[in-house]
């Protein structure tokens, strides 16, 4: 029996780019010559909903609520302006897909789009439009327009709607399946009917034997079950399996048999080997086939089978992510917040890749470090990554890459940057990092030269005591220096921030906010996001709570999702009350304002004064630099070959030969002068250490080479000519 797979991401994940799980799986299936079709049903539902026909139906359905209950003035306004929405929706969606750029001029005149409550914030953001181009300003206004329609949907049509999530509440902390199961017994919602109409058409066209549903987040769990329910009812012969981030973290102790009314299988962790074994099992005539990390129902009971001898595939064996079948030209770029770093999650189409499986640090105590997706660390060789990048550029026509690593390893980032430069690839990329001291000024310059435009990393709690308790392996001072190195190289920096960590005091929360304020004030952070600590079952805090001064409220294991754990902290502090003030202050700092506000101004309750010196970050950034260079440091020249001129210099009757080396970089030309012998050596050495070469020379090798012909390398290395070259791309890595 020939297998045909249909691999889907149900609504909703992202508007601007496909979630990569299905592309990863399709890439792997290609290596096995297994036929598959993939679809992102989230973008397909959005496009049907946000169309002229979709809005006509929406207003008909939404209008029915006006007669049965109280409706806000905002929804009444949107409903009254429905003709304007119907007139503008198709052109706006085309504009956000990059197909209708001239519409920007109309949108920016602010008399084209109907406006409801989301536009009220515009007065606060007037300052931003001075620095935003017409296209970006129009994109932001069009985003507010869509959010107004979304508000109408939530109030009048479907309270569970969200652009990047659907019925998320049902997926969060669902340790019991009852509420989700009950929701699935109700009539399909308005959004469900759109989803199911698309699914029906795709299933009938593709006629798969196996349906794989990727569930990365709680916000697409309900739609996954709704999709599976429809397929089970109308096409009972199709086998259905769930995989992805949600089951990997939440469903590891699954025992509720009702789940298997919807799914035949649920696989955990890396999906390649489990899917291959599933295919073997459903195509074999054997009664009992081995499975890998797979839940299924046998004799009315949930069983977990991991009796396969097949090893997981190495990263070099899983193939290149394949984005074919996905509607790449139909994704919608939106700008929710005008901050240039913050918008990267919602604006632009990014090819997604991974530099390394797992995390090379793997120690942070709030993280799921006991699970394979963190624990099993396996980097991909830089040349293989570049091969994959070139394949994906050829397939998608996009040269933007988001490396979705837990934390990209600095040594691999360096190797990747060198390989990109060697191959002369014009790419744009960004990734997640740890703020560790390996990110020197020169490494950041190399990454920028290769196309790196941004990094995001966990500062978490900006307190050295808590960073030590988290086992983050960094200090606030070190983070400040690394963020400065990136910022000065022209790479934007986003920090993940945390509050409410076990034993965190109110004083530490206030001091953490002051550290963040200073990092933004000196200009070394461009963006950030506060999130409240959550205890998870697979983290060291969840596994050994007594070490962290917390007590689990319950030890009972639920029958469905088991990851988030309720707990009491020995401090007894209500950390929730800090949420609004932390987020409001950060919003202003990201827009470069309100640094002179007292910290007390952000809170409507009394907080202690900060104990952090007002110049802590400034002083940390102005310590003397360490000029020591390790003998093993790699030396690379990013610039080109110089034009050489000889001349003679005379003084007090003596004359000697000199050289002028003139260099041209992308922005300007500059020259340096040396004596003839040193100049000739330097010209030859710059060719050898050019980034275009495969061989990379160390500082020790260059020193030894110099001293074969000349004397006193240190005097030469720290001379003015070399100092000038260091400013223009002579890097010590």
């Amino acid at each position: 029996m020939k297998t045909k797979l249909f691999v889907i991401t149900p609504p909703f994940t992202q508007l601007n780019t496909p979630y990569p799980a299905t592309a990863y799986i399709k890439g792997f299936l290609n290596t096995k010559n297994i036929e598959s079709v993939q679809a992102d049903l989230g973008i397909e539902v959005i496009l049907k909903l946000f169309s002229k026909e979709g809005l006509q139906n929406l207003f008909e359905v939404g209008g029915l609520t006006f007669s049965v209950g109280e409706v806000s003035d905002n929804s009444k306004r949107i409903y009254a302006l429905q003709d304007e929405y119907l007139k503008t929706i198709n052109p706006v969606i085309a504009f956000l897909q990059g197909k209708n750029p001239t519409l920007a001029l109309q949108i920016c005149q602010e008399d084209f789009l109907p406006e409801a409550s989301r536009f009220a914030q515009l007065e606060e953001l007037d300052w931003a439009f001075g620095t935003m181009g017409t296209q970006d300003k129009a994109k932001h206004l069009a985003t507010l327009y869509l959010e107004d329609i979304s508000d109408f949907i939530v109030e009048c049509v479907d309270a569970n709607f969200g652009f990047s999530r659907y019925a998320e509440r049902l997926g969060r902390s669902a340790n019991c399946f009852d509420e989700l199961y009950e929701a699935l017994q109700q009539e399909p919602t308005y959004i469900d009917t759109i989803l199911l109409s698309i699914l029906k058409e795709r299933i009938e066209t593709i006629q798969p034997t196996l349906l794989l549903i990727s569930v990365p987040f709680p916000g697409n769990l309900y739609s996954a079950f709704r999709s599976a329910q429809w397929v089970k009812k109308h096409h009972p012969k199709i086998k259905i399996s769930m995989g992805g981030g949600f089951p990997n973290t939440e469903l590891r102790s699954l025992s509720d048999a009702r789940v298997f009314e919807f799914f035949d299988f649920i696989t955990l962790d890396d999906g390649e080997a489990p899917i291959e074994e599933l295919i073997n099992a459903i195509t074999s005539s054997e009664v009992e086939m081995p499975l890998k990390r797979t839940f299924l129902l046998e004799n009315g009971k949930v069983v977990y089978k991991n009796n396969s001898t097949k090893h997981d595939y190495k990263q070099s064996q899983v193939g290149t992510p394949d984005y074919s079948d996905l509607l790449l030209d139909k994704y919608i770029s939106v700008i929710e917040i005008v901050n240039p770093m913050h918008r990267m999650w919602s604006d632009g189409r990014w090819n997604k890749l991974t530099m390394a499986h797992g995390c090379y640090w793997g120690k942070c105590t709030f993280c799921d470090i006991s699970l394979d997706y963190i624990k099993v660390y396996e980097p991909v060789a830089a040349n293989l990554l570049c091969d994959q990048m070139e394949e994906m550029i050829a397939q998608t026509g996009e040269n933007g890459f988001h490396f979705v690593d837990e934390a990209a390893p600095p040594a691999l980032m360096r190797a990747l940057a060198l390989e990109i430069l060697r191959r002369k690839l014009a790419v744009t990329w960004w990734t997640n990092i740890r703020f560790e001291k390996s990110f020197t000024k020169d490494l950041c310059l190399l990454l920028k030269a290769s196309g790196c435009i941004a990094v995001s990393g966990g500062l978490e709690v900006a307190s050295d005591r808590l960073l030590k308790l988290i086992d983050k392996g960094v200090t606030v001072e070190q983070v400040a220096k690394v963020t400065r190195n990136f910022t000065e190289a022209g790479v934007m920096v986003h920090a993940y921030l945390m509050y409410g960590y076990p034993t965190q005091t109110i004083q530490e929360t206030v001091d953490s906010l002051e550290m963040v304020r200073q990092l933004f004030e000196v200009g070394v952070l461009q963006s950030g996001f506060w999130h409240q600590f959550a205890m998870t079952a697979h983290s060291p805090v969840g596994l050994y709570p007594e070490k962290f001064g917390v007590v689990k409220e319950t030890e009972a294991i639920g029958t469905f999702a088991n990851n988030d754990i309720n707990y009491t902290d020995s401090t007894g502090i209500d950390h929730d009350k800090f949420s609004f003030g932390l987020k409001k202050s950060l919003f202003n700092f990201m827009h470069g304002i309100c640094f002179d506000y007292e910290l007390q101004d952000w809170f409507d309750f009394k907080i202690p004064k900060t104990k952090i010196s007002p110049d802590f970050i400034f002083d940390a950034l102005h310590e003397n630099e360490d000029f020591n260079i390790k003998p093993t440091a790699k030396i690379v020249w990013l610039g080109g070959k110089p034009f050489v001129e000889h001349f003679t210099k005379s003084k007090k009757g003596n004359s000697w030969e000199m050289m002028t080396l003139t260099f041209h970089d992308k922005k300007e030309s500059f020259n340096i002068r040396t004596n003839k012998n040193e100049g000739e050596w330097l010209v030859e050495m710059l060719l050898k250490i050019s980034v275009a070469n495969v061989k990379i020379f160390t500082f020790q090798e260059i020193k030894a080479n110099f001293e074969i012909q000349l004397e006193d390398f240190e005097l030469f290395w720290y001379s003015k000519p070399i100092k000038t070259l260091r400013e223009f791309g002579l890097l010590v890595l």
Side-chain angles (χ1 to χ4, degrees):
M1 176 176 131
K2 190 179 176 188
T3 314
K4 190 168 187 182
L5 275 70
F6 185 30
V7 194
I8 66 169
T9 308
F12 292 111
T13 52
Q14 281 178 277
L15 291 176
N16 63 313
T17 201
Y19 192 77
T22 63
Y24 277 61
I25 290 301
K26 186 174 174 72
F28 166 72
L29 294 170
N30 291 346
T31 68
K32 300 293 177 182
N33 295 314
I34 296 169
E35 189 181 358
S36 66
V37 178
Q38 66 181 322
D40 176 358
L41 299 184
I43 193 63
E44 295 189 33
V45 169
I46 288 290
L47 293 176
K48 217 161 188 183
L49 183 59
F50 289 88
S51 65
K52 186 174 181 180
E53 185 187 349
L55 287 195
Q56 277 173 328
N57 295 336
L58 188 75
F59 285 124
E60 281 176 27
V61 174
L64 299 174
T65 61
F66 283 53
S67 57
V68 294
E70 282 293 311
V71 176
S72 69
D73 288 343
N74 188 56
S75 286
K76 287 174 185 170
R77 173 174 172 77
I78 294 169
Y79 188 74
L81 288 168
Q82 61 184 282
D83 286 347
E84 292 300 321
Y85 285 102
L86 295 174
K87 171 185 160 186
T88 50
I89 188 66
N90 286 352
V92 166
I93 292 295
F95 168 71
L96 292 174
Q97 290 170 331
K99 295 172 187 165
N100 193 8
T102 53
L103 191 70
L105 299 165
Q106 283 247 80
I107 292 173
C108 288
Q109 286 174 358
E110 296 184 39
D111 60 357
F112 176 71
L113 297 178
E115 298 181 5
S117 64
R118 294 290 183 141
F119 285 77
Q121 63 188 279
L122 270 182
E123 288 172 28
E124 300 170 33
L125 298 177
D126 274 348
W127 59 271
F129 292 141
T131 57
M132 289 177 87
T134 303
Q135 293 290 318
D136 282 351
K137 179 178 178 180
K139 213 181 264 189
H140 180 58
L141 293 170
T143 304
L144 298 178
Y145 160 91
L146 292 182
E147 288 176 337
D148 275 337
I149 300 172
S150 170
D151 291 341
F152 179 83
I153 295 171
V154 170
E155 184 178 2
C156 300
V157 179
D158 191 334
N160 285 318
F161 179 74
F163 279 117
S164 57
R165 60 189 63 84
Y166 185 73
E168 185 178 45
R169 179 186 58 79
L170 293 173
R172 284 205 174 279
S173 305
N175 63 346
C176 174
F177 189 48
D178 289 352
E179 193 177 359
L180 179 55
Y181 189 74
E182 189 180 326
L184 291 162
Q185 308 312 309
Q186 309 302 316
E187 284 298 308
T189 66
Y190 179 72
I191 304 296
D192 289 343
T193 59
I194 298 175
L195 164 64
L196 298 177
S197 70
I198 295 168
L199 184 64
K200 176 179 188 291
E201 188 181 313
R202 301 304 292 275
I203 291 285
E204 287 171 358
T205 304
I206 297 162
Q207 298 191 330
T209 49
L210 175 59
L211 174 64
L212 301 178
I213 303 183
S214 170
V215 185
F217 308 117
N220 65 338
L221 180 73
Y222 167 84
S223 294
F225 272 88
R226 191 57 102 177
S227 300
Q229 180 185 48
W230 184 90
V231 173
K232 273 270 167 260
K233 181 178 177 182
H234 297 280
H235 298 273
K237 289 185 179 176
I238 297 174
K239 297 293 184 185
I240 309 173
S241 179
M242 182 205 296
F246 183 87
N248 291 350
T249 53
E250 304 279 346
L251 303 184
R252 303 190 80 87
S253 52
L254 176 66
S255 61
D256 195 317
R258 293 174 298 174
V259 171
F260 293 90
E261 293 173 25
F262 306 85
F263 292 91
D264 298 289
F265 310 103
I266 293 175
T267 64
L268 300 183
D269 301 326
D270 292 353
E272 292 85 3
I275 287 168
E276 193 178 7
E277 292 292 56
L278 269 189
I279 293 167
N280 292 336
I282 66 175
T283 54
S284 170
S285 55
E286 299 283 323
V287 177
E288 183 74 23
M289 289 290 287
L291 293 172
K292 193 166 186 74
R293 296 191 300 271
T294 300
F295 284 106
L296 67 159
L297 200 65
E298 282 188 350
N299 302 319
K301 292 223 166 138
V302 179
V303 296
Y304 178 68
K305 290 203 170 173
N306 192 18
N307 57 350
S308 166
T309 56
K310 185 182 287 294
H311 293 293
D312 278 306
Y313 286 90
K314 299 282 183 195
Q315 292 301 293
S316 58
Q317 301 171 310
V318 295
T320 301
D322 182 348
Y323 282 87
S324 59
D325 311 324
L326 297 173
L327 310 176
L328 296 183
D329 60 340
K330 301 278 177 65
Y331 282 85
I332 301 168
S333 280
V334 294
I335 299 179
E336 299 160 51
I337 295 179
V338 295
N339 177 287
M341 172 74 209
H342 215 79
R343 63 190 268 189
M344 291 182 62
W345 279 271
S346 64
D347 185 22
R349 250 280 300 123
W350 302 101
N351 295 320
K352 309 255 183 174
L353 267 177
T354 311
M355 287 190 214
H357 181 288
C359 179
Y360 69 96
W361 179 249
K363 296 180 184 177
C364 298
T365 53
F366 61 81
C367 186
D368 294 337
I369 60 176
S370 65
L371 299 184
D372 281 0
Y373 82 96
I374 303 285
K375 184 172 66 176
V376 179
Y377 174 65
E378 186 197 338
V380 180
N383 61 340
L384 180 59
L385 281 171
C386 271
D387 289 344
Q388 292 179 331
M389 291 170 80
E390 290 185 304
E391 279 183 57
M392 291 169 79
I393 291 168
Q395 184 193 74
T396 66
E398 301 280 355
N399 68 350
F401 289 86
H402 180 195
F403 289 95
V404 291
D405 292 64
E406 298 299 324
L412 183 49
M413 289 174 74
R414 179 182 69 194
L416 176 63
L418 289 168
E419 187 67 19
I420 288 170
L421 290 164
R422 257 184 228 121
R423 297 192 191 195
K424 296 182 170 57
L425 293 181
V427 294
T428 304
W429 61 277
W430 57 299
T431 191
N432 196 42
I433 61 159
R434 291 182 62 250
F435 292 120
E436 57 170 88
K437 58 180 180 286
S438 310
F439 290 108
T440 60
K441 178 183 174 183
D442 281 15
L443 177 53
C444 293
L445 287 167
L446 175 76
L447 298 174
K448 175 69 169 74
S450 73
C452 179
I453 57 164
V455 293
S456 56
L459 169 54
E460 318 308 354
V461 180
S463 147
D464 284 343
R465 179 188 80 83
L466 290 166
L467 285 171
K468 195 170 180 184
L469 190 62
I470 288 171
D471 205 356
K472 193 75 194 173
V474 299
T475 63
V476 177
E477 190 175 312
Q478 183 180 311
V479 170
K481 289 175 179 173
V482 169
T483 55
R484 174 203 55 199
N485 292 343
F486 275 112
T487 300
E488 289 182 353
V491 177
M492 295 184 289
V493 185
H494 173 90
Y496 295 106
L497 305 163
M498 184 188 291
Y499 63 101
Y501 191 79
T503 73
Q504 182 172 354
T505 63
I506 291 175
Q507 184 68 55
E508 283 171 325
T509 300
V510 171
D511 290 349
S512 191
L513 174 57
E514 172 61 14
M515 292 285 204
V516 171
R517 186 195 70 78
Q518 290 186 30
L519 287 165
F520 276 97
E521 186 175 35
V522 299
V524 296
L525 264 189
Q526 286 71 54
S527 170
F529 183 79
W530 286 105
H531 63 98
Q532 190 167 350
F533 168 79
M535 188 197 284
T536 60
H538 311 291
S539 67
V541 179
L543 292 168
Y544 315 107
E546 64 284 350
K547 289 185 181 178
F548 300 89
V550 293
V551 177
K552 292 182 184 179
E553 285 186 359
T554 173
E555 283 293 339
I557 294 178
T559 56
F560 187 55
N562 283 294
N563 195 34
D564 286 5
I565 297 171
N566 293 329
Y567 66 95
T568 51
D569 187 338
S570 58
T571 62
I573 296 167
D574 174 17
H575 295 289
D576 286 350
K577 66 181 182 180
F578 289 93
S579 176
F580 182 77
L582 290 173
K583 289 172 182 175
K584 185 178 180 182
S585 60
L586 182 63
F587 182 83
N588 285 280
F589 298 160
M590 283 199 297
H591 293 107
I593 53 177
C594 301
F595 297 123
D596 55 345
Y597 279 38
E598 294 290 329
L599 297 187
Q600 179 64 68
D601 294 344
W602 301 113
F603 302 95
D604 57 5
F605 54 91
K606 188 76 178 148
I607 60 165
K609 285 195 175 300
T610 181
K611 293 185 176 179
I612 304 299
S613 154
D615 296 320
F616 179 90
I617 297 295
F618 181 86
D619 292 343
L621 296 178
H622 289 81
E623 288 183 359
N624 291 332
E625 280 188 62
D626 181 7
F627 286 102
N628 289 330
I629 297 175
K630 290 180 181 175
T632 54
K634 293 171 170 57
I635 312 298
V636 173
W637 169 238
L638 296 181
K641 188 178 178 181
F643 289 101
V644 178
E645 294 175 86
H646 293 81
F647 68 98
T648 302
K649 192 171 182 180
S650 300
K651 192 175 184 181
K652 294 183 180 178
N654 294 321
S655 61
W656 56 95
E657 289 186 81
M658 299 284 290
M659 287 171 65
T660 300
L661 309 182
T662 303
F663 297 85
H664 300 277
D665 79 356
K666 283 180 279 191
K667 285 187 178 177
E668 59 189 295
S669 303
F670 66 96
N671 57 49
I672 60 173
R673 290 182 170 185
T674 69
N675 67 46
K676 179 173 177 287
N677 291 340
E678 288 177 348
E680 287 175 345
W681 178 86
L682 183 58
V683 170
E684 186 184 334
M685 183 50 68
L686 288 177
L687 280 174
K688 287 182 177 177
I689 63 173
S690 165
V691 73
N693 297 330
V694 175
K695 161 111 176 106
I696 298 176
F697 287 81
T698 64
F699 185 72
Q700 182 61 46
E701 287 172 323
I702 290 172
K703 181 175 186 286
N705 184 288
F706 182 91
E707 289 173 349
I708 292 169
Q709 308 165 41
L710 303 159
E711 294 179 357
D712 208 341
F713 176 73
E714 274 76 13
L715 191 64
F716 173 69
W717 181 259
Y718 292 107
S719 66
K720 187 178 177 183
I722 298 297
K723 189 178 179 187
T724 302
L725 288 179
R726 296 275 280 121
E727 291 170 9
F728 286 94
L730 179 60
L731 304 182
V732 178
L733 304 169

